[in-house]
């Protein structure tokens, strides 16, 4: 599978000269499966440019896996080209809720007064489904979605395609569940990431910042590294960068993450717009 | 590698219990004891780290729960067992033997942990030792 990052920023878009290296768009990752199926992870502002690229291709079906409904993960839909062109079929997957369907929850953002046009006016065929509780197949891949520790119902995804594994857990505070220091199965998200070739994981805060933001739903860079160690992932990519973090500051945090990983793990990556990783 | 892991609701319930000063015990959907906190150690007579997770039949045997009239209770008849099987909260008192050998009368509030409207992943029991009768 081919993975391309279109947005790696967390919480709020952060364009400007200080962030031009890693990019200011919020969460969006494109995964092209071995059989050519297109999978999109989250619909942050990064999905706008991905949409422009997709419009150049033959119309078809796209799968959009939403981790949750926080604005930074859905805000790009209003400018996602294929949603606004007849002929495309978009299948959305997302976390379950006891109060509203996934379509209703996405519509809260894509409707007045937050957005001028309603989802019902979109010409593309859009289908919304709660992610199945058991692993399911999309194209050549097996997808697994599990609830993870964050504010509100939030999923992490595990995508296994031709024996290679991508884990995507952009908003996650596993530290809250790791207090006992016992078996890793008691750490939120562990099974999704266990043995993955690549883990895109929340790395929002410095250790100092985290102390004042305990319970806000995100990880410090050290917690991201500890989680990657516990799950035995081959490579960690720092993701969901804080909107206040400059390129230079991100690079300063990199060494701290690299030093916290095991020697048998690959050096980490800092996810940036345009980063491509091919697994398999 | 075995990748199975408990439901997030059970994981979070466990981490919540670590922070509670009230004795709290958690069983999973199969009735296995998966955690009790430090406050519960005082009542149960041993710490969780010493005991670890226990199969349903085993913890029943260790704590010997009985009614206040000394009738033995099966796992299904304890407040936690009823909460799990009948998917409802239960409040009751019974007698048990701590692992330090001391008999105790305890009062329990047990409630099922629903991860989905149709799925119970375990039971959380909060309990108090009743003052010894004079
Ligand atoms: Zn986010
Ligand atoms: Zn979020």
């Amino acid at each position: 599978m081919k993975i391309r990052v279109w947005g790696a920023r967390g919480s709020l878009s952060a364009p400007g000269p200080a962030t031009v290296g890693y990019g200011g768009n919020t969460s969006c990752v494109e995964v092209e499966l071995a059989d050519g199926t297109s999978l999109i992870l989250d619909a942050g502002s990064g999905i706008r440019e991905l949409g422009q690229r997709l419009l150049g291709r033959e119309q078809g079906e796209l799968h959009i896996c939403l981790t949750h409904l926080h604005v930074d993960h859905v805000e790009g839909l209003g400018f996602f080209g294929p949603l606004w062109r007849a002929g495309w079929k978009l299948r959305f997957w997302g976390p379950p809720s006891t109060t509203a369907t996934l379509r209703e929850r996405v519509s809260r953002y894509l409707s007045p007064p937050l957005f001028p046009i309603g989802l019902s006016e979109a010409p593309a065929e859009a289908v919304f489904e709660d992610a199945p509780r058991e692993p399911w197949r999309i194209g050549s891949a097996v997808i697994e979605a599990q609830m993870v520790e964050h504010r509100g119902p939030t999923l992490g995804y595990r995508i296994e395609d031709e024996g290679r594994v991508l884990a995507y857990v952009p908003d996650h505070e596993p530290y809250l569940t790791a207090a006992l220091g016992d078996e890793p199965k008691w750490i939120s998200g562990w099974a999704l990431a266990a043995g993955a070739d690549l883990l895109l994981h929340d790395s929002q805060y410095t250790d100092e910042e985290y102390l004042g933001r305990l319970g806000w739903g995100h990880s410090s860079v050290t917690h991201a590294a500890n989680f990657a160690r516990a799950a035995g992932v081959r490579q960690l990519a720092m993701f969901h960068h804080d909107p206040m973090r400059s390129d230079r500051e991100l690079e300063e945090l990199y060494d701290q993450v690299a030093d916290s990983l095991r020697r048998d793990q690959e050096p980490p990556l800092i996810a940036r717009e345009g980063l491509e990783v091919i697994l398999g | 590698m075995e990748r199975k892991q408990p439901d997030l609701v059970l994981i979070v319930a466990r981490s919540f219990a670590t922070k509670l000063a009230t004795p709290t015990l958690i069983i999973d959907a199969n009735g296995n004891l998966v955690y009790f906190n430090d406050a519960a150690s005082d009542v149960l007579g041993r710490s969780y780290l010493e005991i670890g997770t226990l199969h349903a039949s085993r913890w029943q045997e260790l704590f010997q729960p009985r009614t206040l009239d000394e009738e033995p209770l099966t796992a299904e008849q304890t407040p936690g067992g009823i909460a799990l099987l009948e998917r409802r909260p239960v409040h009751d008192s019974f007698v048990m033997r701590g692992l330090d050998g001391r008999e105790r009368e305890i009062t329990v509030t047990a409630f099922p942990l629903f991860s989905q409207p149709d799925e119970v992943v375990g039971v959380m029991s909060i309990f108090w030792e009743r003052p010894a009768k004079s």
Side-chain angles (χ1 to χ4, degrees):
Chain A
M1 71 184 127
K2 193 163 124 189
I3 299 146
R4 188 182 168 98
V5 174
W6 292 88
R9 193 62 55 177
S11 309
L12 184 73
S13 296
T19 56
V20 78
Y22 294 94
N25 280 305
T26 55
S27 302
C28 181
V29 176
E30 176 190 14
V31 183
E32 191 182 321
L33 300 176
D35 71 344
T37 303
S38 286
L39 201 70
I40 298 165
L41 302 170
D42 278 331
S45 65
I47 204 172
R48 178 187 60 83
E49 209 177 323
L50 165 59
Q52 295 311 108
R53 170 84 70 94
L54 290 168
L55 288 180
R57 292 190 204 162
E58 201 184 326
Q59 287 180 332
E61 187 177 51
L62 301 169
H63 292 264
I64 301 169
C65 297
L66 301 174
T67 54
H68 61 313
L69 283 293
H70 285 163
V71 165
D72 54 321
H73 298 259
V74 295
E75 66 187 338
L77 285 175
F79 286 87
F80 181 49
L83 182 59
W84 306 99
R85 289 277 174 88
W88 286 89
K89 178 169 183 181
L90 310 184
R91 291 193 73 170
F92 289 87
W93 307 89
S97 156
T98 50
T99 55
T101 65
L102 186 59
R103 172 181 276 274
E104 286 164 347
R105 283 174 284 149
V106 170
S107 292
R108 278 186 198 156
Y109 172 62
L110 271 183
S111 61
L114 295 180
F115 198 74
I117 319 286
L119 185 59
S120 58
E121 296 174 70
E125 182 186 349
V127 179
F128 293 82
E129 286 180 66
D130 291 353
R133 297 182 203 178
E134 297 299 323
W136 77 105
R137 190 167 272 284
I138 296 178
S140 52
V142 173
I143 318 293
E144 190 176 327
Q146 294 292 337
M147 290 289 200
V148 296
E149 177 65 34
H150 186 54
R151 287 280 181 113
T154 302
L155 296 171
Y157 288 95
R158 179 184 177 94
I159 296 142
E160 191 163 348
D161 191 23
E162 295 198 317
R164 307 304 293 271
V165 174
L166 166 69
Y168 177 70
V169 197
D171 293 52
H172 191 208
E173 192 175 9
Y175 174 74
L176 291 184
T177 64
L180 281 167
D182 56 357
E183 296 167 277
K185 72 174 184 181
W186 291 104
I187 301 172
S188 163
W190 170 79
L192 288 172
D197 293 290
L198 178 67
L199 165 67
L200 298 174
H201 193 274
D202 190 330
S203 308
Q204 181 138 355
Y205 301 134
T206 64
D207 292 353
E208 297 72 35
E209 285 166 349
Y210 182 80
L211 296 175
R213 292 164 197 181
L214 186 82
W216 286 23
H218 296 290
S219 286
S220 70
V221 287
T222 300
H223 295 156
N226 289 347
F227 179 75
R229 282 174 66 112
V233 305
R234 194 164 60 79
Q235 190 169 37
L236 166 69
M238 297 158 66
F239 196 85
H240 207 273
H241 313 308
D242 192 272
M244 305 306 280
R245 193 89 56 233
S246 68
D247 291 338
R248 191 175 51 77
E249 289 167 332
L250 262 181
E251 284 162 2
E252 284 167 8
L253 289 174
Y254 176 88
D255 289 341
Q256 194 183 325
V257 175
D259 291 345
S260 306
L261 293 169
R262 292 197 316 242
R263 293 284 158 259
D264 61 345
Q265 292 178 298
E266 302 260 331
L269 297 169
I270 304 175
R272 65 170 168 80
E273 284 169 33
L275 172 71
E276 271 191 12
V277 179
I278 295 173
L279 297 180
Chain B
M1 188 189 349
E2 174 68 65
R3 277 201 307 113
K4 279 251 167 293
Q5 111 173 98
D7 188 278
L8 182 68
V9 168
L10 202 61
I11 292 174
V12 171
R14 203 166 175 266
S15 88
F16 171 52
T18 64
K19 294 164 181 66
L20 277 181
T22 319
T24 305
L25 178 148
I26 297 169
I27 59 174
D28 67 14
N30 298 314
N32 300 318
L33 174 66
V34 293
Y35 184 65
F36 57 85
N37 63 7
D38 288 349
S41 309
D42 290 343
V43 182
L44 301 177
R46 203 77 69 78
S47 75
Y48 171 72
L49 288 177
E50 289 173 284
I51 295 180
T53 54
L54 283 179
H55 192 267
S57 59
R58 180 79 183 115
W59 71 269
Q60 216 53 34
E61 182 184 309
L62 282 177
F63 298 119
Q64 300 175 25
R66 280 151 289 145
T67 65
L68 299 181
D69 303 324
E70 293 292 325
E71 291 294 323
L73 288 168
T74 64
E76 295 77 21
Q77 291 167 327
T78 60
I82 296 169
L84 183 63
L85 289 171
E86 300 183 15
R87 300 181 159 209
R88 64 176 175 89
V90 178
H91 182 78
D92 208 352
S93 299
F94 64 92
V95 179
M96 55 152 282
R97 178 191 292 267
L99 294 176
D100 53 5
R102 192 161 72 79
E103 297 284 328
R104 292 158 165 92
E105 245 183 72
I106 59 169
T107 297
V108 181
T109 294
F111 54 92
L113 299 166
F114 283 86
S115 65
Q116 312 262 354
D118 60 350
E119 191 172 352
V120 171
V121 296
V123 169
M124 186 176 241
S125 297
I126 295 177
F127 53 97
W128 293 262
E129 186 172 351
R130 286 161 47 122
K133 284 183 220 143
S134 52

